[in-house]
Amino acid sequence: MTGAGISTAAGIPDFRSPGTGLYSQLEKYNLPHPQAIFELDYYKSNPQPFCTLAKELWPGNYSPTLSHHFLKLLHNKGLLMRSFTQNIDGLELVAGLPEEKLIAAHGSFHKSHCIECKQLHALEWMKEKIFAGEVPRCTKADCGALVKPDIVFFGEALPERFFEAMSDFHNADLLIVMGTSLKVQPFCLLTDKVGKTVPRLLINREKVGEGVMGMFGYGFDFVSENRYRDVAHLDDCDSGCVKLCELLGWKDELMELVNDDDESNPPAAFWTPGGSLY
Ligand code: OAD
């Protein structure tokens, strides 16, 4: 399970880190509250702030971090059941993870739909609108409602694939959680879906997800006398992944993936209408 913290080393801000997180850098938009930028009702009343931000966040300017390569290494070794991410940057795919291994729980820029008639709009069309600074409006005759990338806004349902793949958690024998504040439901509740004896490793700058989470979930227990399976490695994700790989004797293989990426210096994440990333 990953979040924005695995991509900060690529230069993409996370959301909630004080000072550097996206939510503390939105003053210019005069929002009623920072999360309004990802709320459907607010988008309907004032689409411009999200459209301006979408241009900044549009995939294409960033390269995978060491943590993304670590996920690819797990996959190469046949050990990765699935990577559930809250991120919308698609950097796992740029690092070479096959699409079926990735659950983009909060959606992506890959497709856009009209928020009223649900008409699909092409990626290139949406990109053109966003980069021209225009508010995207449905092209279907007699509609003209707002179009929005399929990024999951607050209050919207998560993609079906998220729910379909949730049973993975029952079959996992290790859960790694990296770079997330575990503040957003239902994603954060997944930590509780693995079996009761399955070890759970958190690699994050701070402890997160402890105690009761919302109505249904019981979070990590790193400190109580009864703790038995949760481990918090408080560090940057990239350093944490290196440390873990050192312990596993995989560091050279990890660094090979990282160096290959540096050498080939691929154009950063770029969605194409066909569905692949280059
Ligand atoms: P947050 O910004 O809430 O949390 C990021 C976490 O990663 C924090 O605990 C940071 O301390 C930690 N962190 C940042 N950089 C790190 C690094 N290099 N190494 C280790 N830890 C690091 O981001 P998310 O949990 O991903 O949803 O946010 C969840 C959702 O909230 C997002 O998907 C987004 C947002 O609202 C939507 O837009 C729907």
Side-chain angles (χ1 to χ4, degrees), residues 182 202 206-213 218-223 232:
L182 290 179
L202 171 73
E206 54 184 340
K207 278 190 196 165
V208 294
E210 291 171 286
V212 178
M213 291 163 45
Y218 291 89
F220 293 130
D221 177 4
F222 301 121
V223 292

Side-chain angles (χ1 to χ4, degrees), residues 2-9 12-18 20-23 35 38 67 85-88 105-106 151-154 158 178-184 187 203-208 233-239:
T2 62
I6 69 162
S7 293
T8 51
I12 305 173
D14 67 7
F15 294 89
R16 295 180 180 79
S17 286
T20 55
L22 190 65
Y23 289 150
Q35 290 188 8
F38 296 119
S67 301
T85 188
Q86 296 163 96
N87 298 346
I88 53 177
H106 292 166
I151 290 167
V152 178
F153 275 23
F154 287 103
L158 270 55
M178 300 197 289
T180 172
S181 61
L182 290 179
K183 288 245 166 78
V184 175
F187 190 91
I203 305 176
N204 208 50
R205 282 185 183 154
E206 54 184 340
K207 278 190 196 165
V208 294
H233 181 77
L234 302 185
D235 202 346
D236 276 8
C237 296
D238 288 359
S239 322

